[in-house]
Each structure stands twice: as structure tokens, then as C-alpha cells.
Amino acid sequence: GQQVMQIPQYQHVQEGEDFTTYCNSSTTLSNIQWYKQRPGGHPVFLIQLVKSGEVKKQKRLTFQFGEAKKNSSLHITATQTTDVGTYFCAGIVNTGKLIFGQGTTLQVKP
Amino acid sequence: KAGVTQTPRYLIKTRGQQVTLSCSPISGHRSVSWYQQTPGQGLQFLFEYFSETQRNKGNFPGRFSGRQFSNSRSEMNVSTLELGDSALYLCASKRGDATNEKLFFGSGTQLSVL
């Protein structure tokens, strides 16, 4: 079936280091969305990418959508303790379903 | 504007029982989706409702069912509970039925099956 794989599952970094999570789909995606879930909280929408090769930035966060629209990445520059949480990608497939990746849990050591 | 409201926040049931979870979407939102979240499994899609009609369904057994009312509020029911049904159940709403709309999640119902 259609799957969205996300790696790594966990990442521990020292505050100030960079962090990247990758999302790969078995099929071409219409769009891809990214969400952040703080510990004990619920997912909150961060951004949506639509175009092939699209790159969007939100302060220290950089989001990319692959040329083939099958992969995406989220890069955080100079992590801070406020970045702690689980980051989910969610791809929209041609059936209209939104399929979430398993998430990457980020821990930041001060 | 109030966010997505889910009740109850916590629930403890025993195997074989049934449970009903409730979700009130953001005012004006007509689409409600349900997700099951377990550690390591991410968010598994259960179903989506729009204007009282089920639009999409995930790969869950028939024990999982849902419905949406005319005021867009939604309920999810799980019958004959199993230990593996222990999870955080999240509801999410959006304004319309376009696939590219962002989701607004509730705080979830933490279900424990003993």
C-alpha cells in the first residue's frame, strides 16, 4: 500500500547543532505537509509544500520538496531547546488521503 | 475562537467493552478526521467525515466506526475493545473537503484498555 517513511525515528543533538529529518514516499505526492507535536501535546501544522523542488524557510527551519515529489526534508539550523518534539511529514496521495510518516522525535541537550 | 475539543481526555476500559469518543471541530469547520497514535507507529488514519458523509476510511477493522452530526460534531466508536486498541485518539478538523487544507488537531483522548 501507499506508505510514507520518515527517518530517523529518534535524534539527540546538542543545543546549537543542526538537525534534519527525511520523508520518503513510495508514490508521487500531490502535496506534503509538516507538523510538530510537542511532548504531551497535539500535532500543529507548520507548513505545506506543493511544487516540485520547492524550498520554504521559517526562521531556522528549512523545508524542501523533492523534484520527483516523492521525498521531502526538514532542516533545523542551530537547534534550541524549544525545538524539542516530534516532527511529522504527511503526504497527500492521488486518492486524496493524507498519509503521515512515523515521525522523528528530536531531543535537544542544553 | 475555540479549538478542536475532544472528550473525554482520558478513558480506562476493559477488554470486550465498547467506547465512544467525541470531537467538536472548530466553528465553521465541516470536515473531521480521526487518527490513532501509538508510540513508534505515528498517526494512523481511521476515517474522515465531511457534511455527515464518510469520505475516506483507513485500514482498521469494522470494530472501529464513526459518524458526524449535522452540527459537524463527530463521534468515534470502538466495540469489543482489545488490548492493542490502547492509544491516543486524535481528532482533526478543517474548513472544507479540499485535500490540501491544513488540519487542526484536538488534544486527543488517551484510551487505556486493561
Side-chain angles (χ1 to χ4, degrees):
Chain A
Q2 294 159 324
Q3 288 189 344
V4 174
M5 307 299 292
Q6 196 172 347
I7 57 169
Q9 189 173 358
Y10 298 99
Q11 184 84 58
H12 293 250
V13 300
Q14 197 72 40
E15 189 173 20
E17 292 182 337
D18 292 356
F19 159 77
T20 305
T21 173
Y22 300 91
C23 192
N24 293 289
S25 169
S26 55
T27 59
T28 302
L29 302 170
S30 300
N31 308 332
I32 193 155
Q33 298 177 349
W34 285 89
Y35 292 80
K36 176 184 178 181
Q37 184 174 23
R38 295 183 186 275
H42 56 272
V44 175
F45 176 84
L46 292 176
I47 207 162
Q48 177 167 249
L49 303 173
V50 178
K51 300 176 184 175
S52 167
E54 189 170 13
V55 178
K56 285 188 176 180
K57 291 191 176 185
Q58 287 180 350
K59 297 181 180 178
R60 295 178 294 102
L61 277 61
T62 302
F63 303 84
Q64 292 188 323
F65 202 7
E67 293 290 339
K69 299 184 78 173
K70 284 189 173 183
N71 56 73
S72 181
S73 65
L74 158 58
H75 179 83
I76 301 178
T77 304
T79 55
Q80 300 175 358
T81 54
T82 53
D83 296 325
V84 163
T86 301
Y87 294 85
F88 291 97
C89 63
I92 300 171
V93 297
N94 56 7
T95 55
K97 286 185 181 179
L98 185 67
I99 300 178
F100 279 81
Q102 300 95 321
T104 297
T105 298
L106 172 64
Q107 295 280 6
V108 179
K109 288 177 274 188
Chain B
K1 202 179 208 181
V4 178
T5 305
Q6 289 189 247
T7 56
R9 187 71 179 89
Y10 301 94
L11 207 48
I12 300 175
K13 292 285 187 180
T14 55
R15 279 183 300 173
Q17 287 187 310
Q18 75 163 22
V19 66
T20 299
L21 312 181
S22 179
C23 172
S24 293
I26 290 172
S27 178
H29 284 196
R30 294 164 62 192
S31 171
V32 172
S33 300
W34 287 90
Y35 291 85
Q36 182 194 66
Q37 184 174 26
T38 52
Q41 292 297 315
L43 295 159
Q44 301 293 315
F45 172 73
L46 283 154
F47 22 68
E48 178 189 3
Y49 288 89
F50 179 78
S51 293
E52 302 178 68
T53 301
Q54 188 178 89
R55 289 300 186 94
N56 265 309
K57 190 176 187 304
N59 298 322
F60 278 80
R63 300 184 297 106
F64 291 81
S65 63
R67 58 179 176 169
Q68 187 180 33
F69 302 95
S70 58
N71 62 357
S72 294
R73 190 178 71 85
S74 178
E75 285 183 348
M76 190 192 94
N77 184 275
V78 188
S79 62
T80 321
L81 284 166
E82 300 177 359
L83 295 178
D85 296 333
S86 294
L88 178 66
Y89 289 88
L90 290 162
C91 162
S93 76
K94 58 183 181 178
R95 184 171 297 279
D97 63 346
T99 54
N100 60 356
E101 287 187 59
K102 64 182 180 181
L103 297 176
F104 294 83
F105 283 86
S107 298
T109 294
Q110 184 67 54
L111 172 65
S112 297
V113 182
L114 306 177

PDB file of all heavy atoms in Angstrom, chain B residues 74-90:
ATOM      1  N   SER B  74     -18.456  15.113  15.751  1.00  0.00           N
ATOM      2  CA  SER B  74     -18.252  13.727  15.321  1.00  0.00           C
ATOM      3  C   SER B  74     -18.041  12.830  16.534  1.00  0.00           C
ATOM      4  O   SER B  74     -17.564  13.268  17.588  1.00  0.00           O
ATOM      5  CB  SER B  74     -17.042  13.648  14.390  1.00  0.00           C
ATOM      6  OG  SER B  74     -16.784  12.308  13.989  1.00  0.00           O
ATOM      7  N   GLU B  75     -18.419  11.595  16.359  1.00  0.00           N
ATOM      8  CA  GLU B  75     -18.165  10.575  17.373  1.00  0.00           C
ATOM      9  C   GLU B  75     -17.471   9.395  16.727  1.00  0.00           C
ATOM     10  O   GLU B  75     -17.698   9.085  15.554  1.00  0.00           O
ATOM     11  CB  GLU B  75     -19.477  10.088  18.007  1.00  0.00           C
ATOM     12  CG  GLU B  75     -20.105  11.061  18.980  1.00  0.00           C
ATOM     13  CD  GLU B  75     -21.347  10.506  19.626  1.00  0.00           C
ATOM     14  OE1 GLU B  75     -21.855   9.460  19.168  1.00  0.00           O
ATOM     15  OE2 GLU B  75     -21.825  11.129  20.590  1.00  0.00           O
ATOM     16  N   MET B  76     -16.629   8.747  17.523  1.00  0.00           N
ATOM     17  CA  MET B  76     -15.964   7.539  17.071  1.00  0.00           C
ATOM     18  C   MET B  76     -16.287   6.442  18.083  1.00  0.00           C
ATOM     19  O   MET B  76     -16.249   6.685  19.289  1.00  0.00           O
ATOM     20  CB  MET B  76     -14.456   7.749  17.017  1.00  0.00           C
ATOM     21  CG  MET B  76     -13.705   6.648  16.332  1.00  0.00           C
ATOM     22  SD  MET B  76     -11.938   6.761  16.581  1.00  0.00           S
ATOM     23  CE  MET B  76     -11.767   5.701  17.981  1.00  0.00           C
ATOM     24  N   ASN B  77     -16.605   5.275  17.591  1.00  0.00           N
ATOM     25  CA  ASN B  77     -16.963   4.159  18.456  1.00  0.00           C
ATOM     26  C   ASN B  77     -16.034   2.981  18.195  1.00  0.00           C
ATOM     27  O   ASN B  77     -15.718   2.676  17.034  1.00  0.00           O
ATOM     28  CB  ASN B  77     -18.415   3.750  18.192  1.00  0.00           C
ATOM     29  CG  ASN B  77     -18.884   2.662  19.133  1.00  0.00           C
ATOM     30  OD1 ASN B  77     -18.666   1.487  18.879  1.00  0.00           O
ATOM     31  ND2 ASN B  77     -19.500   3.052  20.228  1.00  0.00           N
ATOM     32  N   VAL B  78     -15.597   2.368  19.272  1.00  0.00           N
ATOM     33  CA  VAL B  78     -14.819   1.134  19.143  1.00  0.00           C
ATOM     34  C   VAL B  78     -15.539   0.071  19.960  1.00  0.00           C
ATOM     35  O   VAL B  78     -15.767   0.253  21.163  1.00  0.00           O
ATOM     36  CB  VAL B  78     -13.372   1.281  19.652  1.00  0.00           C
ATOM     37  CG1 VAL B  78     -12.572   0.032  19.320  1.00  0.00           C
ATOM     38  CG2 VAL B  78     -12.713   2.518  19.070  1.00  0.00           C
ATOM     39  N   SER B  79     -15.908  -1.013  19.305  1.00  0.00           N
ATOM     40  CA  SER B  79     -16.607  -2.091  20.008  1.00  0.00           C
ATOM     41  C   SER B  79     -15.638  -3.235  20.294  1.00  0.00           C
ATOM     42  O   SER B  79     -14.565  -3.328  19.694  1.00  0.00           O
ATOM     43  CB  SER B  79     -17.776  -2.598  19.153  1.00  0.00           C
ATOM     44  OG  SER B  79     -17.288  -3.123  17.935  1.00  0.00           O
ATOM     45  N   THR B  80     -16.012  -4.069  21.225  1.00  0.00           N
ATOM     46  CA  THR B  80     -15.223  -5.243  21.598  1.00  0.00           C
ATOM     47  C   THR B  80     -13.743  -4.880  21.725  1.00  0.00           C
ATOM     48  O   THR B  80     -12.877  -5.359  20.971  1.00  0.00           O
ATOM     49  CB  THR B  80     -15.404  -6.386  20.571  1.00  0.00           C
ATOM     50  OG1 THR B  80     -16.751  -6.460  20.145  1.00  0.00           O
ATOM     51  CG2 THR B  80     -15.014  -7.718  21.192  1.00  0.00           C
ATOM     52  N   LEU B  81     -13.457  -4.029  22.664  1.00  0.00           N
ATOM     53  CA  LEU B  81     -12.102  -3.499  22.817  1.00  0.00           C
ATOM     54  C   LEU B  81     -11.069  -4.592  23.027  1.00  0.00           C
ATOM     55  O   LEU B  81     -11.314  -5.595  23.709  1.00  0.00           O
ATOM     56  CB  LEU B  81     -12.052  -2.529  23.997  1.00  0.00           C
ATOM     57  CG  LEU B  81     -12.657  -1.152  23.747  1.00  0.00           C
ATOM     58  CD1 LEU B  81     -12.855  -0.412  25.058  1.00  0.00           C
ATOM     59  CD2 LEU B  81     -11.774  -0.343  22.807  1.00  0.00           C
ATOM     60  N   GLU B  82      -9.893  -4.365  22.418  1.00  0.00           N
ATOM     61  CA  GLU B  82      -8.750  -5.261  22.582  1.00  0.00           C
ATOM     62  C   GLU B  82      -7.608  -4.462  23.225  1.00  0.00           C
ATOM     63  O   GLU B  82      -7.579  -3.238  23.154  1.00  0.00           O
ATOM     64  CB  GLU B  82      -8.316  -5.802  21.221  1.00  0.00           C
ATOM     65  CG  GLU B  82      -9.388  -6.583  20.504  1.00  0.00           C
ATOM     66  CD  GLU B  82      -8.952  -7.056  19.125  1.00  0.00           C
ATOM     67  OE1 GLU B  82      -7.794  -6.749  18.725  1.00  0.00           O
ATOM     68  OE2 GLU B  82      -9.765  -7.729  18.449  1.00  0.00           O
ATOM     69  N   LEU B  83      -6.659  -5.207  23.822  1.00  0.00           N
ATOM     70  CA  LEU B  83      -5.536  -4.540  24.474  1.00  0.00           C
ATOM     71  C   LEU B  83      -4.800  -3.624  23.501  1.00  0.00           C
ATOM     72  O   LEU B  83      -4.339  -2.533  23.860  1.00  0.00           O
ATOM     73  CB  LEU B  83      -4.564  -5.574  25.057  1.00  0.00           C
ATOM     74  CG  LEU B  83      -5.100  -6.455  26.185  1.00  0.00           C
ATOM     75  CD1 LEU B  83      -4.021  -7.453  26.624  1.00  0.00           C
ATOM     76  CD2 LEU B  83      -5.548  -5.611  27.368  1.00  0.00           C
ATOM     77  N   GLY B  84      -4.691  -4.049  22.261  1.00  0.00           N
ATOM     78  CA  GLY B  84      -3.974  -3.295  21.244  1.00  0.00           C
ATOM     79  C   GLY B  84      -4.654  -2.006  20.837  1.00  0.00           C
ATOM     80  O   GLY B  84      -4.072  -1.220  20.082  1.00  0.00           O
ATOM     81  N   ASP B  85      -5.865  -1.787  21.315  1.00  0.00           N
ATOM     82  CA  ASP B  85      -6.565  -0.543  20.991  1.00  0.00           C
ATOM     83  C   ASP B  85      -6.123   0.600  21.903  1.00  0.00           C
ATOM     84  O   ASP B  85      -6.519   1.753  21.691  1.00  0.00           O
ATOM     85  CB  ASP B  85      -8.086  -0.728  21.137  1.00  0.00           C
ATOM     86  CG  ASP B  85      -8.643  -1.740  20.152  1.00  0.00           C
ATOM     87  OD1 ASP B  85      -8.039  -1.920  19.070  1.00  0.00           O
ATOM     88  OD2 ASP B  85      -9.679  -2.369  20.465  1.00  0.00           O
ATOM     89  N   SER B  86      -5.315   0.290  22.898  1.00  0.00           N
ATOM     90  CA  SER B  86      -4.788   1.344  23.772  1.00  0.00           C
ATOM     91  C   SER B  86      -3.954   2.302  22.943  1.00  0.00           C
ATOM     92  O   SER B  86      -2.988   1.899  22.281  1.00  0.00           O
ATOM     93  CB  SER B  86      -3.919   0.734  24.877  1.00  0.00           C
ATOM     94  OG  SER B  86      -4.690  -0.055  25.746  1.00  0.00           O
ATOM     95  N   ALA B  87      -4.330   3.570  22.974  1.00  0.00           N
ATOM     96  CA  ALA B  87      -3.672   4.559  22.123  1.00  0.00           C
ATOM     97  C   ALA B  87      -4.216   5.942  22.430  1.00  0.00           C
ATOM     98  O   ALA B  87      -5.186   6.093  23.179  1.00  0.00           O
ATOM     99  CB  ALA B  87      -3.906   4.246  20.642  1.00  0.00           C
ATOM    100  N   LEU B  88      -3.579   6.928  21.830  1.00  0.00           N
ATOM    101  CA  LEU B  88      -4.113   8.295  21.843  1.00  0.00           C
ATOM    102  C   LEU B  88      -4.926   8.462  20.569  1.00  0.00           C
ATOM    103  O   LEU B  88      -4.414   8.231  19.464  1.00  0.00           O
ATOM    104  CB  LEU B  88      -2.970   9.310  21.878  1.00  0.00           C
ATOM    105  CG  LEU B  88      -3.377  10.786  21.856  1.00  0.00           C
ATOM    106  CD1 LEU B  88      -4.123  11.150  23.145  1.00  0.00           C
ATOM    107  CD2 LEU B  88      -2.149  11.679  21.686  1.00  0.00           C
ATOM    108  N   TYR B  89      -6.182   8.818  20.703  1.00  0.00           N
ATOM    109  CA  TYR B  89      -7.050   9.024  19.542  1.00  0.00           C
ATOM    110  C   TYR B  89      -7.206  10.523  19.328  1.00  0.00           C
ATOM    111  O   TYR B  89      -7.701  11.248  20.182  1.00  0.00           O
ATOM    112  CB  TYR B  89      -8.401   8.333  19.750  1.00  0.00           C
ATOM    113  CG  TYR B  89      -8.250   6.833  19.683  1.00  0.00           C
ATOM    114  CD1 TYR B  89      -7.939   6.104  20.833  1.00  0.00           C
ATOM    115  CD2 TYR B  89      -8.349   6.151  18.473  1.00  0.00           C
ATOM    116  CE1 TYR B  89      -7.756   4.732  20.778  1.00  0.00           C
ATOM    117  CE2 TYR B  89      -8.160   4.783  18.404  1.00  0.00           C
ATOM    118  CZ  TYR B  89      -7.854   4.082  19.563  1.00  0.00           C
ATOM    119  OH  TYR B  89      -7.652   2.727  19.500  1.00  0.00           O
ATOM    120  N   LEU B  90      -6.761  10.939  18.162  1.00  0.00           N
ATOM    121  CA  LEU B  90      -6.760  12.361  17.827  1.00  0.00           C
ATOM    122  C   LEU B  90      -7.818  12.654  16.783  1.00  0.00           C
ATOM    123  O   LEU B  90      -7.999  11.900  15.822  1.00  0.00           O
ATOM    124  CB  LEU B  90      -5.390  12.775  17.278  1.00  0.00           C
ATOM    125  CG  LEU B  90      -4.242  12.802  18.285  1.00  0.00           C
ATOM    126  CD1 LEU B  90      -2.900  12.790  17.563  1.00  0.00           C
ATOM    127  CD2 LEU B  90      -4.342  14.032  19.177  1.00  0.00           C
TER     128      LEU B  90
END
